[in-house]
Amino acid sequence: MPLSNGRPHMALPGPSMMPDRVLQAMHRPAPDIYSPELHQMVAGIVPDLAYVGQTDGQLAMYICNGHGAWEAALSNTVAPGEAVLAPTTGAFGHGWAEMAQGLGAEVEIIDHGRTAPIDPERVRAALLADKGQRIKAVLAVHVDTSSSVRSDIAALRAVLDETGHPALLMVDCIASLGCDEFRMDAWGADVMVTGSQKGLMVPPGLGFVFFNARAAEVRRAMPRVSRYWDWGPRADPAMFYQYFGGTAPTHHLYGLRAALDMIRDEGIEAVWARHARLAQAIWAAGEAWAAYGPFRLNVPDRAHRSHAVTAAQLGAPLGDRLREWCREEAGLVLGVGLRVGDPDDPTGSGYFRFGHMGHVNAHGILGLIGTVEAGLTALDIPHGAGAVEAAVKVVTE
Ligand SMILES: *Cc1c(COP(=O)(O)O)cnc(C)c1O
């Protein structure tokens, strides 16, 4: 008998669950886009987003998803024919590199596979080999959502500084911002991109590009920048119409205001700590399941796992069957695996992901773990014992 009616738990790694407070903030009639209240609200959003990213840099907001934020960051900094270096740890790293290719950049990829973080020494070697210093930017994904690998951004800054290479360090924090600890200024990122629908708990549709003075300098030296992506006119919220390159995304902004209030109330360090502890509960369960049978967590080393998303596998076709059972029988929606291309599993049906970003707490994560345990049991998939107990231990420590 299906037991899935009731409020579903969305464990997708984006879009993530929206707090009722965000939904309620959006449920209102169309505002006057020339009203001072709205302009004031947006002026207040800017420093609060900067707080989440731990930066004193500038911010440009776009009506777009994460892919748009990728294109915005590249459009302001890399001209056709210029070179970028893309150390990849999963599908999104390759996606950003392809975006650069599409804009006419020459792209050098350092493929790190899908289970290990960016190796700063490989980046160092590529920078040292770039005798003419043609590389304009290093494109690093902080957490690659497809693999759930987290890389060390400060270590990349160190390598750029030690080699004296002038390339900009551009970081994709679309999955990690507001989940995994990230400090844009202290860690030395020049550009950071993110989106509204993951750790920020707002519907998809807002893209953000943060940039420091060095990146602004690079923008000023560009021969031209496409008008919509140009971050120049987006620096002053008082110029409200220009600020959004046209009509403002009013309802997303109300939702974002509510989400930022929640993050502010909790405090960003507490937000990071909550995600860390809940991720550890999932890992403890996953390691228990993996002790017997086909279950595997994708990233072997805990130090390189994200606190926002966890990729796992059961082998084809059990990953899809588990997802289906959880959704149809229990009201838990897991993320699909993004591992198409594995020669042993060409459709990726053995892979799946747990999203644990944003509006997540212990009861939700313990529910997820208990439901996966039930799914493994119902489907007769052999698995190690003690997963729920292991997670309870982490939560009560
Ligand atoms: C979700 C995500 C993207 C893509 O964002 P869209 O909003 O789907 O365009 C890019 N990079 C990372 C790391 C992501 O998690």
Side-chain angles (χ1 to χ4, degrees), residues 177-188:
L177 196 79
C179 305
D180 283 279
E181 178 178 355
F182 181 79
R183 300 177 185 274
M184 176 167 170
D185 293 357
W187 294 359

Side-chain angles (χ1 to χ4, degrees), residues 21 92 142 173 183 186 193 205 219 309-310 312 341 359 375 388-389:
R21 208 166 144 185
F92 289 101
H142 183 214
C173 288
R183 300 177 185 274
V193 303
R219 155 67 192 94
V309 53
T310 299
H359 196 48
V388 174
E389 291 83 344

Side-chain angles (χ1 to χ4, degrees), residues 300-323:
D301 188 337
R302 280 188 168 214
H304 304 141
R305 290 179 191 160
S306 166
H307 299 161
V309 53
T310 299
Q313 60 171 304
L314 280 167
L318 296 179
D320 277 353
R321 287 190 56 206
L322 178 71
R323 278 195 311 109

Side-chain angles (χ1 to χ4, degrees), residues 222-312:
M222 287 281 284
R224 63 175 179 81
V225 171
S226 81
R227 204 52 177 258
Y228 188 75
W229 295 126
D230 191 354
W231 66 37
R234 292 174 186 256
D236 180 10
M239 304 294 289
F240 199 72
Y241 197 74
Q242 289 79 354
Y243 190 72
F244 290 100
T247 307
T250 49
H251 286 67
H252 276 72
L253 294 169
Y254 288 118
L256 180 60
R257 179 63 267 163
L260 290 169
D261 286 342
M262 292 173 70
I263 293 172
R264 271 267 182 214
D265 289 350
E266 185 175 357
I268 191 66
E269 262 104 8
V271 169
W272 294 333
R274 171 167 54 84
H275 282 82
R277 182 67 75 90
L278 296 174
Q280 284 156 15
I282 291 174
W283 304 342
E287 286 158 9
W289 289 322
Y292 177 69
F295 186 95
R296 294 289 173 270
L297 291 171
N298 186 52
V299 182
D301 188 337
R302 280 188 168 214
H304 304 141
R305 290 179 191 160
S306 166
H307 299 161
V309 53
T310 299

Side-chain angles (χ1 to χ4, degrees), residues 65-67 70 92 141 143 145 172 174-175 197-198:
N65 57 20
H67 283 68
W70 277 347
F92 289 101
V141 178
V143 165
T145 322
D172 170 346
I174 297 171
Q197 79 272 26
K198 299 191 183 178

